[in-house]
Amino acid sequence: MDTALPRADRDVVALGIIAAAIILFVGSGSAVLTRTVDYLLFGTGNVDVVLANALLLNIALIIFGWRRYVELTGEVEVRRRAEATARRLAYTDPLTGCLNRRSLEPAIEALIADAWCHDEAVALLMLDLDKFKRANDLHGHQTGDAVLVATAMRLRAVLPHDAVIARIGGDEFTCALRFDPAEPGAIATLARRINKAVAEPIALAGCTVDISTSIGVARSDGPAIPHGADASAVAAQLLHHADLAMYHAKSHGRDRHCWFDPAMESALRFRAELESGIREGLARGEFVPFYEKQIDLDSGRLTGFEMLARWHSPRHGLVSPEVFIPVAEEIGVIAEMSESLIRQALADARTWAPELSLSVNISPLQLRDPWFAQRLLKMLVEANFPPHRLEVEITETALHENLPMVRSMVASLKNQGIRVSLDDFGTGYSSIAQLRTLPFDAIKIDRSFVTSLDSCKDSATIISAITSLGQGLALPLIAEGIETAAVLDELRKLGSFRGQGYLYGQPEDARHVAAGLAGEGLLVTQVTTPDTGEAVPMPLPGAPRSASASA
């Protein structure tokens, strides 16, 4: 068993011994020293050896005690500095010197309480740096850290000296300050100054970084703040409201500020319902393909269909893809959704006449998947669907996200016999060189130009130029958004097109498409199995599939 005294107890014992030594020295030191001096100088008297040794021992103990006192003082100072450093690290961001998330709420609460004492309000600004991740990935983490430090310095230069500044995440900052409730315009002006300051290029060693910031603003006297709430509750609400406003600013163009509005909470709840509904709907098979006719405008002949996604939501009814596709991309389920829809569409298109094609859109996110082409080929084999009847549409904006990856994907799809078209042409920044180097099979003109063709001279000029480009590159043209006979007449004047739009009917589900094709004699009733070569009845599209067919 260890019987050693703790260090603090040993220090107390040593202190007691030193105190006793000092008392003994004071009590006996004068007599011993006097006798010793008389003996050494005058030869008179005698020296008490025991007292003399005791005196020397007392002196040694006092020296030891002084040394221990100095050591203790040093240890206390080191400990004090270590505690101060620990507090600083616990409550501030070590990179920027701003407050951190842990210390932010208490600082805001104190600011709110102080503002109430002076009949003022508190504005809270939530900042998220735009394009920071791209700069961080492109130039490295050291550059990213330098950008964060520079941003913090710019915030300090713009904000009042008594404002609260905190870094609460990788590229998120929070600022809070007092203001006169009668002059909210001062906060809007300050937010614009922050936007301008952050957007200034940051010159670093070897590179210049351009970023911007989206700002959400909330005020402590806003209508959504509970009346009579304490400073802690108000601080929590301010952080929540500013966060909602910041995401609203980011989703509406970035590099701007946006004041919190109570309607944003309703939008957030709807977004949360959409996310959960999409995930549940995927598991329940609520996403189904609809089909829009594609027509040869010269002959009026049906050439195929474009597959369009629809969501049969038990809560929201039939939901348009403009609503759920962006959400599916953000939550990371677009690939699963797209492949499920393509698998259904291939099974439906097997029953169509062999001359009819199927066009499908793929998300730009799927172009980043190097194995997508192989999975698509597997789906074609499983559905026994000829690759030359499938056309994959790639949006023009996807070309600029990762051109080498797009080039590799297009080449892989073409090698399998799949046709590839460039969708939404005219809305991005494709160059003629890109069109020449990427082996597209067709160009699809964006609907925004087609729908206004009969009323906007600029649209006619743009479509005429695209037509000339397509003819020069020997690329067929597809016009989407044909909704009136006047637009159709104008298109026919400009050249030869495949076209689609509501003029030829609304998109329909598989069962209605099959019924229409059956009336025109364009529905296959039997199919030859690849294994045995036997002709077997073809199930109608939209009918329940067997377990083996749907596996």
Coordinates of all heavy atoms in Angstrom, one line a residue, residues 432-494:
I432 N -18.7 25.8 -79.7 CA -18.8 24.9 -80.9 C -17.7 23.8 -80.8 O -17.9 22.7 -81.2 CB -18.5 25.8 -82.1 CG1 -19.7 26.8 -82.3 CG2 -18.4 24.9 -83.4 CD1 -19.5 27.7 -83.5
A433 N -16.6 24.2 -80.1 CA -15.5 23.2 -80.0 C -16.0 22.0 -79.1 O -15.7 20.8 -79.4 CB -14.3 23.8 -79.3
Q434 N -16.8 22.3 -78.1 CA -17.3 21.2 -77.2 C -18.3 20.4 -78.0 O -18.3 19.1 -77.9 CB -18.0 21.8 -76.0 CG -17.1 22.4 -75.0 CD -17.8 23.1 -73.8 OE1 -18.9 23.4 -74.0 NE2 -17.1 23.3 -72.7
L435 N -19.1 21.0 -78.9 CA -20.1 20.2 -79.7 C -19.4 19.3 -80.7 O -19.8 18.2 -81.0 CB -21.0 21.2 -80.4 CG -22.0 21.9 -79.5 CD1 -22.9 22.9 -80.4 CD2 -22.9 21.0 -78.7
R436 N -18.2 19.8 -81.1 CA -17.5 19.0 -82.1 C -16.7 17.8 -81.4 O -16.6 16.7 -82.0 CB -16.4 19.9 -82.8 CG -17.1 20.9 -83.8 CD -16.0 21.7 -84.5 NE -15.1 20.8 -85.3 CZ -14.0 21.3 -85.9 NH1 -13.7 22.5 -85.8 NH2 -13.3 20.5 -86.6
T437 N -16.2 18.1 -80.2 CA -15.5 17.0 -79.5 C -16.3 16.0 -78.8 O -15.9 14.9 -78.6 CB -14.5 17.6 -78.5 OG1 -15.2 18.4 -77.6 CG2 -13.5 18.5 -79.2
L438 N -17.5 16.4 -78.4 CA -18.4 15.5 -77.7 C -19.4 14.9 -78.8 O -20.1 15.6 -79.4 CB -19.2 16.2 -76.6 CG -18.4 16.7 -75.4 CD1 -19.3 17.6 -74.6 CD2 -17.9 15.5 -74.6
P439 N -19.4 13.6 -78.9 CA -20.2 12.9 -80.0 C -21.7 12.9 -79.7 O -22.3 11.8 -79.6 CB -19.5 11.5 -80.1 CG -19.1 11.3 -78.7 CD -18.7 12.6 -78.1
F440 N -22.3 14.0 -79.6 CA -23.8 14.0 -79.4 C -24.5 13.6 -80.7 O -24.0 13.8 -81.8 CB -24.3 15.4 -79.0 CG -23.9 15.8 -77.6 CD1 -23.0 16.8 -77.4 CD2 -24.4 15.2 -76.5 CE1 -22.6 17.2 -76.2 CE2 -24.0 15.5 -75.2 CZ -23.1 16.5 -75.1
D441 N -25.7 13.0 -80.5 CA -26.5 12.6 -81.6 C -27.6 13.6 -82.0 O -28.2 13.5 -83.1 CB -27.2 11.2 -81.3 CG -26.2 10.1 -81.1 OD1 -25.6 9.7 -82.2 OD2 -25.9 9.7 -80.0
A442 N -27.9 14.5 -81.1 CA -28.9 15.5 -81.4 C -28.8 16.7 -80.4 O -28.1 16.6 -79.4 CB -30.3 14.9 -81.2
I443 N -29.4 17.8 -80.8 CA -29.4 19.0 -79.9 C -30.9 19.3 -79.6 O -31.7 19.3 -80.5 CB -28.8 20.2 -80.6 CG1 -27.3 20.0 -80.9 CG2 -29.0 21.5 -79.8 CD1 -26.6 21.1 -81.6
K444 N -31.2 19.5 -78.4 CA -32.5 19.8 -77.9 C -32.6 21.2 -77.5 O -32.0 21.6 -76.5 CB -32.9 18.8 -76.8 CG -34.4 18.8 -76.5 CD -34.8 17.7 -75.6 CE -36.3 17.5 -75.5 NZ -36.6 16.4 -74.5
I445 N -33.4 22.0 -78.2 CA -33.5 23.5 -78.0 C -34.4 23.7 -76.7 O -35.4 23.1 -76.6 CB -34.1 24.2 -79.2 CG1 -33.3 23.9 -80.5 CG2 -34.2 25.7 -79.0 CD1 -34.0 24.4 -81.7
D446 N -33.9 24.6 -75.9 CA -34.6 24.8 -74.6 C -36.0 25.4 -74.9 O -36.2 26.2 -75.8 CB -33.8 25.8 -73.8 CG -34.4 26.0 -72.4 OD1 -34.4 25.0 -71.6 OD2 -35.0 27.1 -72.1
R447 N -37.0 24.9 -74.1 CA -38.4 25.3 -74.3 C -38.6 26.8 -74.1 O -39.6 27.3 -74.7 CB -39.2 24.5 -73.3 CG -39.0 24.8 -71.8 CD -39.9 23.9 -70.9 NE -41.3 24.1 -71.3 CZ -42.1 23.2 -71.8 NH1 -41.6 22.0 -72.1 NH2 -43.4 23.5 -72.1
S448 N -37.8 27.5 -73.4 CA -38.0 28.9 -73.2 C -37.9 29.7 -74.5 O -38.6 30.7 -74.7 CB -37.0 29.5 -72.2 OG -35.6 29.3 -72.7
F449 N -37.1 29.2 -75.4 CA -37.1 29.8 -76.8 C -38.2 29.4 -77.7 O -38.8 30.2 -78.4 CB -35.7 29.5 -77.5 CG -34.5 29.9 -76.7 CD1 -33.6 28.9 -76.3 CD2 -34.3 31.2 -76.2 CE1 -32.4 29.2 -75.6 CE2 -33.2 31.5 -75.5 CZ -32.3 30.5 -75.2
V450 N -38.6 28.2 -77.5 CA -39.7 27.6 -78.4 C -41.0 28.2 -78.1 O -41.8 28.6 -79.0 CB -39.7 26.1 -78.3 CG1 -40.8 25.5 -79.2 CG2 -38.4 25.5 -78.8
T451 N -41.4 28.3 -76.8 CA -42.7 28.7 -76.4 C -43.0 30.2 -76.8 O -44.2 30.5 -77.1 CB -42.9 28.6 -74.9 OG1 -41.9 29.3 -74.2 CG2 -42.9 27.1 -74.5
S452 N -42.0 31.0 -76.9 CA -42.1 32.4 -77.3 C -41.8 32.7 -78.7 O -41.6 33.8 -79.1 CB -41.3 33.3 -76.3 OG -39.9 32.9 -76.4
L453 N -41.7 31.6 -79.5 CA -41.2 31.8 -80.9 C -42.1 32.7 -81.7 O -41.6 33.5 -82.5 CB -41.1 30.4 -81.6 CG -40.6 30.4 -83.0 CD1 -39.2 31.0 -83.2 CD2 -40.6 29.0 -83.5
D454 N -43.4 32.6 -81.5 CA -44.3 33.4 -82.3 C -44.5 34.8 -81.8 O -45.2 35.6 -82.5 CB -45.7 32.7 -82.4 CG -46.3 32.5 -81.0 OD1 -45.5 32.5 -80.0 OD2 -47.6 32.5 -80.9
S455 N -44.0 35.1 -80.7 CA -44.2 36.5 -80.1 C -42.9 37.2 -79.8 O -43.0 38.4 -79.5 CB -45.0 36.4 -78.8 OG -44.3 35.5 -77.9
C456 N -41.8 36.6 -79.9 CA -40.5 37.2 -79.5 C -39.5 37.1 -80.7 O -39.1 36.0 -81.1 CB -39.9 36.6 -78.3 SG -38.3 37.3 -77.8
K457 N -39.1 38.2 -81.3 CA -38.2 38.2 -82.4 C -36.8 37.6 -82.0 O -36.2 36.9 -82.8 CB -38.0 39.6 -82.9 CG -37.1 39.7 -84.1 CD -37.0 41.1 -84.6 CE -36.0 41.2 -85.8 NZ -35.9 42.6 -86.3
D458 N -36.4 37.9 -80.8 CA -35.1 37.3 -80.3 C -35.1 35.8 -80.3 O -34.1 35.2 -80.7 CB -34.7 37.9 -78.9 CG -34.4 39.4 -79.0 OD1 -34.1 39.9 -80.0 OD2 -34.5 40.0 -77.9
S459 N -36.2 35.2 -79.9 CA -36.3 33.8 -79.8 C -36.2 33.2 -81.2 O -35.5 32.2 -81.4 CB -37.6 33.3 -79.2 OG -37.7 33.7 -77.8
A460 N -36.8 33.8 -82.2 CA -36.7 33.4 -83.6 C -35.3 33.4 -84.1 O -34.8 32.5 -84.8 CB -37.7 34.2 -84.5
T461 N -34.6 34.5 -83.7 CA -33.2 34.7 -84.2 C -32.3 33.6 -83.6 O -31.5 33.0 -84.2 CB -32.7 36.1 -83.8 OG1 -33.5 37.1 -84.4 CG2 -31.3 36.3 -84.2
I462 N -32.6 33.3 -82.3 CA -31.7 32.3 -81.6 C -32.0 30.9 -82.2 O -31.0 30.2 -82.4 CB -32.0 32.3 -80.1 CG1 -31.5 33.6 -79.4 CG2 -31.4 31.1 -79.4 CD1 -31.9 33.8 -78.0
I463 N -33.3 30.6 -82.4 CA -33.6 29.3 -82.9 C -33.0 29.1 -84.4 O -32.5 28.1 -84.8 CB -35.1 29.0 -82.9 CG1 -35.5 28.9 -81.4 CG2 -35.4 27.7 -83.7 CD1 -37.0 28.6 -81.3
S464 N -33.1 30.2 -85.1 CA -32.5 30.2 -86.5 C -31.0 29.9 -86.4 O -30.5 29.1 -87.2 CB -32.8 31.5 -87.2 OG -32.2 31.5 -88.5
A465 N -30.3 30.6 -85.5 CA -28.9 30.3 -85.4 C -28.6 28.9 -84.9 O -27.6 28.3 -85.4 CB -28.3 31.3 -84.3
I466 N -29.4 28.4 -84.0 CA -29.2 27.0 -83.5 C -29.4 26.0 -84.7 O -28.7 25.0 -84.8 CB -30.1 26.7 -82.3 CG1 -29.7 27.6 -81.1 CG2 -30.0 25.2 -81.9 CD1 -30.6 27.4 -79.9
T467 N -30.4 26.3 -85.5 CA -30.7 25.5 -86.6 C -29.6 25.4 -87.6 O -29.2 24.4 -88.1 CB -32.0 26.0 -87.4 OG1 -33.1 26.0 -86.4 CG2 -32.4 25.1 -88.5
S468 N -29.0 26.6 -87.9 CA -27.8 26.7 -88.8 C -26.6 25.9 -88.2 O -25.9 25.2 -88.9 CB -27.4 28.1 -89.0 OG -28.5 28.8 -89.6
L469 N -26.5 26.0 -86.9 CA -25.4 25.3 -86.2 C -25.6 23.8 -86.3 O -24.7 23.0 -86.6 CB -25.3 25.7 -84.7 CG -24.3 25.0 -83.8 CD1 -22.9 25.3 -84.3 CD2 -24.4 25.5 -82.4
G470 N -26.8 23.3 -86.1 CA -27.1 21.9 -86.2 C -26.9 21.3 -87.6 O -26.4 20.2 -87.7
Q471 N -27.3 22.1 -88.5 CA -27.1 21.7 -89.9 C -25.6 21.6 -90.3 O -25.2 20.7 -90.9 CB -27.8 22.6 -90.9 CG -29.4 22.6 -90.8 CD -30.1 23.7 -91.6 OE1 -29.4 24.6 -92.1 NE2 -31.4 23.5 -91.8
G472 N -24.9 22.6 -89.8 CA -23.4 22.6 -90.0 C -22.7 21.4 -89.4 O -21.7 20.9 -90.0
L473 N -23.2 21.0 -88.2 CA -22.5 19.9 -87.5 C -23.2 18.6 -87.8 O -22.9 17.5 -87.2 CB -22.6 20.2 -86.0 CG -21.7 21.4 -85.5 CD1 -21.9 21.6 -84.0 CD2 -20.2 21.1 -85.8
A474 N -24.3 18.6 -88.7 CA -25.0 17.4 -89.0 C -25.7 16.8 -87.8 O -25.7 15.5 -87.6 CB -24.1 16.4 -89.7
L475 N -26.2 17.6 -86.9 CA -26.9 17.2 -85.7 C -28.4 17.4 -85.8 O -28.8 18.6 -86.0 CB -26.3 17.9 -84.5 CG -24.9 17.5 -84.0 CD1 -24.4 18.4 -82.9 CD2 -24.8 16.1 -83.6
P476 N -29.2 16.4 -85.7 CA -30.7 16.6 -85.7 C -31.1 17.5 -84.5 O -30.4 17.6 -83.5 CB -31.2 15.2 -85.5 CG -30.1 14.3 -85.9 CD -28.9 15.0 -85.6
L477 N -32.2 18.2 -84.7 CA -32.7 19.2 -83.7 C -34.0 18.7 -83.2 O -34.9 18.2 -83.9 CB -32.8 20.6 -84.3 CG -31.5 21.2 -84.9 CD1 -31.8 22.5 -85.6 CD2 -30.6 21.5 -83.7
I478 N -34.2 18.9 -81.9 CA -35.4 18.6 -81.2 C -35.9 19.9 -80.5 O -35.2 20.6 -79.8 CB -35.3 17.5 -80.1 CG1 -34.6 16.3 -80.7 CG2 -36.6 17.1 -79.5 CD1 -34.2 15.3 -79.7
A479 N -37.2 20.2 -80.7 CA -37.8 21.4 -80.1 C -38.8 21.0 -79.1 O -39.8 20.3 -79.4 CB -38.4 22.3 -81.2
E480 N -38.6 21.4 -77.9 CA -39.6 21.1 -76.8 C -40.3 22.3 -76.4 O -39.8 23.4 -76.5 CB -38.9 20.5 -75.6 CG -37.9 21.3 -74.9 CD -37.3 20.7 -73.6 OE1 -38.0 19.8 -73.0 OE2 -36.2 21.1 -73.2
G481 N -41.6 22.2 -76.0 CA -42.4 23.3 -75.6 C -43.3 23.8 -76.7 O -43.7 25.0 -76.7
I482 N -43.7 22.9 -77.7 CA -44.6 23.3 -78.7 C -46.0 23.3 -78.2 O -46.5 22.2 -77.9 CB -44.5 22.4 -80.0 CG1 -43.0 22.4 -80.5 CG2 -45.4 22.9 -81.1 CD1 -42.8 21.4 -81.6
E483 N -46.6 24.4 -78.0 CA -47.9 24.4 -77.3 C -49.0 25.0 -78.1 O -50.2 24.9 -77.8 CB -47.8 25.2 -76.0 CG -46.8 24.6 -75.0 CD -46.7 25.3 -73.7 OE1 -47.4 26.4 -73.6 OE2 -46.0 24.9 -72.8
T484 N -48.7 25.7 -79.2 CA -49.7 26.3 -80.1 C -49.4 26.0 -81.6 O -48.2 25.7 -81.9 CB -49.8 27.8 -79.9 OG1 -48.5 28.4 -80.3 CG2 -50.0 28.2 -78.4
A485 N -50.4 26.1 -82.4 CA -50.2 25.9 -83.8 C -49.4 27.0 -84.4 O -48.6 26.7 -85.4 CB -51.6 25.8 -84.5
A486 N -49.4 28.2 -83.9 CA -48.6 29.3 -84.4 C -47.1 29.0 -84.2 O -46.3 29.3 -85.1 CB -49.0 30.6 -83.7
V487 N -46.7 28.5 -83.1 CA -45.3 28.1 -82.8 C -44.9 27.0 -83.8 O -43.8 27.0 -84.3 CB -45.2 27.7 -81.3 CG1 -43.8 27.0 -81.1 CG2 -45.3 28.9 -80.4
L488 N -45.8 26.0 -84.0 CA -45.5 24.9 -84.9 C -45.2 25.5 -86.3 O -44.3 25.0 -87.0 CB -46.6 23.9 -84.9 CG -46.5 22.7 -85.9 CD1 -45.3 21.9 -85.6 CD2 -47.8 21.9 -85.8
D489 N -46.1 26.4 -86.8 CA -45.9 27.0 -88.1 C -44.5 27.7 -88.2 O -43.8 27.6 -89.3 CB -47.0 27.9 -88.4 CG -48.4 27.2 -88.6 OD1 -48.3 26.0 -88.9 OD2 -49.4 27.9 -88.4
E490 N -44.2 28.4 -87.2 CA -42.9 29.2 -87.2 C -41.7 28.2 -87.3 O -40.7 28.4 -88.0 CB -42.8 30.1 -86.0 CG -43.8 31.3 -86.0 CD -43.5 32.2 -87.2 OE1 -42.4 32.4 -87.5 OE2 -44.5 32.7 -87.7
L491 N -41.8 27.1 -86.5 CA -40.7 26.1 -86.5 C -40.5 25.5 -87.9 O -39.4 25.3 -88.3 CB -41.0 25.0 -85.5 CG -40.6 25.3 -84.0 CD1 -41.1 24.2 -83.1 CD2 -39.1 25.4 -83.9
R492 N -41.6 25.2 -88.5 CA -41.6 24.5 -89.8 C -40.9 25.5 -90.9 O -40.2 25.0 -91.8 CB -42.9 24.1 -90.3 CG -43.5 22.9 -89.6 CD -44.9 22.6 -90.0 NE -45.4 21.3 -89.5 CZ -46.6 20.9 -89.4 NH1 -47.6 21.8 -89.7 NH2 -46.9 19.7 -88.9
K493 N -41.0 26.8 -90.6 CA -40.3 27.7 -91.6 C -38.8 27.7 -91.4 O -38.1 28.1 -92.3 CB -40.9 29.1 -91.3 CG -42.3 29.3 -91.6 CD -42.8 30.7 -91.2 CE -44.3 30.9 -91.4 NZ -44.7 32.3 -91.0
L494 N -38.4 27.3 -90.2 CA -36.9 27.4 -89.9 C -36.2 26.2 -90.2 O -34.9 26.3 -90.4 CB -36.8 27.7 -88.4 CG -37.3 29.1 -87.9 CD1 -37.2 29.2 -86.4 CD2 -36.5 30.2 -88.6

